[in-house]
Amino acid sequence: MTGTHRERLPDWAREASFGVFIHWGAYSVPAWAEPIGALGTVPDEQWFAHNPYAEWYANTIRIAGSPAARHHAEVYGPAPYEDFLDQWQAEHYDPAGWARLFRSLGADYVVPVTKHHDGVTLWDAPGSEGLNTVDRGPKRDLIGPLAAAVRAEGMRFGVYYSGGLDWSVSDHPPIAIVGDLYTHRPVDAAYAAAATAHVRDLIDRYEPSVLWNDIEWPDAGKEDGSLAELMAHYRSTVPDGIVNDRWGADVWDYRTSEYSAGTDHEAGIGWENNRGLGFSFGYNRIEDDSLTLSPRALAQHYADVVARGGRLLLNVGPDASGRIPDVQLRTLEGAAPWMAEVKQYTTDRRIQDRDAVAVSAEADNWCRTWVSGGRLVVVADRPEAVQVTAPGYEIVHVALPG
């Protein structure tokens, strides 16, 4: 299919530097994964059997001999994954409270998962009867109230949708090696039509500013022109909306990286790095403070992304009740004052002119710098100890949180 991406990101997306990702689903009930490390640091041959992503629980428990399979057998016996949908009650879901927290962090946009690889939709998607949160589990649309709350706090609202994988419509074996991602996925016309209907409904109902697909798009939808038609519909409905790069087609507006994977995409202004507070996106009850970014580590990661021209899409993984776990809240609330302070210095960013600016910091003084309008922003452990030569720039010093 021919490319349908825009040549330049809209102003809001170029100015944005921070978004909040939300992975919340039936997988938040078992909330279990083996926290072996971050994507990009674990050998491919070990990744899927030891998957640290709790939202992949339905796949990992199908891999014979995996720690997740043993855990599931010990705790839940032969119970099928779908039972977790009925056990998911979302009784403490507070979208307005979530939105206030995200706004306090200086978030520009919020992107919840609307359907992950397990096929469960968090709204009454067309054709999803019996496998959505209106019919079962929470017994309500979880997306609409969040869209309203996010916009009430002045942030942009986006949606994540898993177009590449849907284990509810596929009888493929579990994904056990990287190559399986592209062979063990539904590619037929019926699935392409269903996925297209879902995403079109998301566009029409919620008019998302970000359309975030994952893994791929079914081949039939790329071949029959329906993906091109879907993109045209999106761009006419949300003229300043943006599309990520995980469609397997030239429809994207910006590139993404994940943890330390895909770093070749981190170039220029407007790319996006996404990661969890720990090693998982979905809530993993095993992840304690030692496996979760501290406020200082979050500030460092954000500053590093900003300094290199990117946006950080930081994931929050609520528990099954809808509460944001304390281990995540400690980091978010601890970092919020610093994030709010530095946010004002992230607009009108440009890649630093190395010929016009000289920065020198001691090895034990972590430091990042970037240009924001007429300012050179210096973020460091001890910003006052950083030597800066930047004629014509106002120097702004920001110390990392302790």
Side-chain angles (χ1 to χ4, degrees):
M1 63 178 291
T2 57
T4 60
H5 59 81
R6 62 177 80 243
E7 293 299 319
R8 175 187 167 93
L9 287 175
D11 289 345
W12 79 263
R14 285 183 64 87
E15 291 294 282
S17 61
F18 183 58
V20 175
F21 224 177
I22 306 170
H23 278 64
W24 192 35
Y27 45 81
S28 303
V29 175
W32 196 95
E34 187 182 1
I36 58 170
L39 182 66
T41 66
V42 179
D44 287 349
E45 63 271 17
Q46 296 179 24
W47 179 262
F48 288 104
H50 302 273
N51 200 326
Y53 287 0
E55 67 276 13
W56 275 69
Y57 189 82
N59 183 78
T60 317
I61 61 175
R62 294 176 63 208
I63 300 175
S66 71
R70 294 195 298 269
H71 168 81
H72 187 80
E74 292 168 2
V75 178
Y76 303 104
Y81 174 82
E82 197 171 312
D83 282 3
F84 296 125
L85 174 54
D86 298 310
Q87 295 168 28
W88 179 23
Q89 297 300 302
E91 65 270 24
H92 297 301
Y93 180 34
D94 179 11
W98 286 11
R100 287 192 298 271
L101 173 64
F102 303 155
R103 179 72 266 174
S104 75
L105 287 156
D108 300 290
Y109 59 109
V110 176
V111 181
V113 167
T114 65
K115 186 203 80 169
H116 206 261
H117 312 327
D118 59 5
V120 176
T121 67
L122 276 67
W123 87 108
D124 52 337
S128 68
E129 291 79 8
L131 200 64
N132 65 57
T133 61
V134 177
D135 291 346
R136 296 170 64 180
K139 296 290 182 70
R140 53 187 155 151
D141 170 10
L142 299 175
I143 302 301
L146 182 59
V150 163
R151 287 172 170 143
E153 291 293 333
M155 296 173 287
R156 295 265 177 165
F157 182 76
V159 295
Y160 164 111
Y161 182 86
S162 173
L165 294 176
D166 190 324
W167 300 319
S168 72
V169 300
S170 170
D171 59 1
H172 292 301
I175 294 168
I177 60 174
V178 171
D180 293 344
L181 276 172
Y182 300 98
T183 58
H184 295 4
R185 65 182 182 91
V187 299
D188 57 280
Y191 176 62
T196 299
H198 285 184
V199 174
R200 190 180 184 97
D201 193 51
L202 287 169
I203 293 167
D204 292 342
R205 287 203 202 195
Y206 308 118
E207 299 186 357
S209 291
V210 182
L211 198 57
W212 215 105
N213 185 62
D214 205 5
I215 305 293
E216 252 278 6
W217 192 252
D219 295 352
K222 291 183 282 187
E223 294 162 359
D224 66 11
S226 60
L227 177 57
E229 293 173 1
L230 181 66
M231 288 296 111
H233 178 65
Y234 176 60
R235 298 201 185 281
S236 66
T237 304
V238 190
D240 66 350
I242 58 175
V243 178
N244 78 328
D245 61 345
R246 301 188 183 190
W247 303 78
D250 189 19
V251 300
W252 54 271
D253 298 319
Y254 69 93
R255 301 292 264 166
T256 61
S257 60
E258 188 168 324
Y259 286 90
S260 57
T263 55
D264 55 318
H265 294 166
E266 298 178 351
I269 299 290
W271 52 271
E272 179 188 78
N273 173 254
N274 65 91
R275 62 155 297 153
L277 284 159
F279 297 138
S280 178
F281 287 89
Y283 171 50
N284 181 2
R285 63 181 75 250
I286 294 177
E287 289 187 338
D288 58 13
D289 289 291
S290 71
L291 297 171
T292 302
L293 290 176
S294 66
R296 181 181 184 278
L298 172 54
Q300 281 184 305
H301 186 64
Y302 177 55
D304 178 64
V305 168
V306 169
R308 293 184 292 113
R311 302 191 306 272
L312 173 60
L313 183 59
L314 179 74
N315 185 77
V316 171
D319 68 18
S321 78
R323 289 194 176 105
I324 298 174
D326 289 344
V327 67
Q328 297 177 36
L329 269 179
R330 284 192 289 272
T331 292
L332 297 173
E333 292 176 345
W338 186 91
M339 299 281 282
E341 176 191 0
V342 81
K343 189 69 177 60
Q344 62 188 307
Y345 304 125
T346 63
T347 57
D348 193 16
R349 275 180 295 160
R350 301 190 305 281
I351 301 299
Q352 190 171 300
D353 184 349
R354 298 297 179 183
D355 294 329
V357 174
V359 179
S360 177
E362 297 173 356
D364 65 344
N365 186 9
W366 190 95
C367 177
R368 293 293 184 274
T369 62
W370 65 85
V371 172
S372 169
R375 301 168 295 201
L376 179 72
V377 183
V378 179
V379 176
D381 288 314
R382 302 185 307 282
E384 70 285 351
V386 178
Q387 301 298 313
V388 178
T389 302
Y393 288 102
E394 173 192 357
I395 311 300
V396 176
H397 295 95
V398 181
L400 286 167

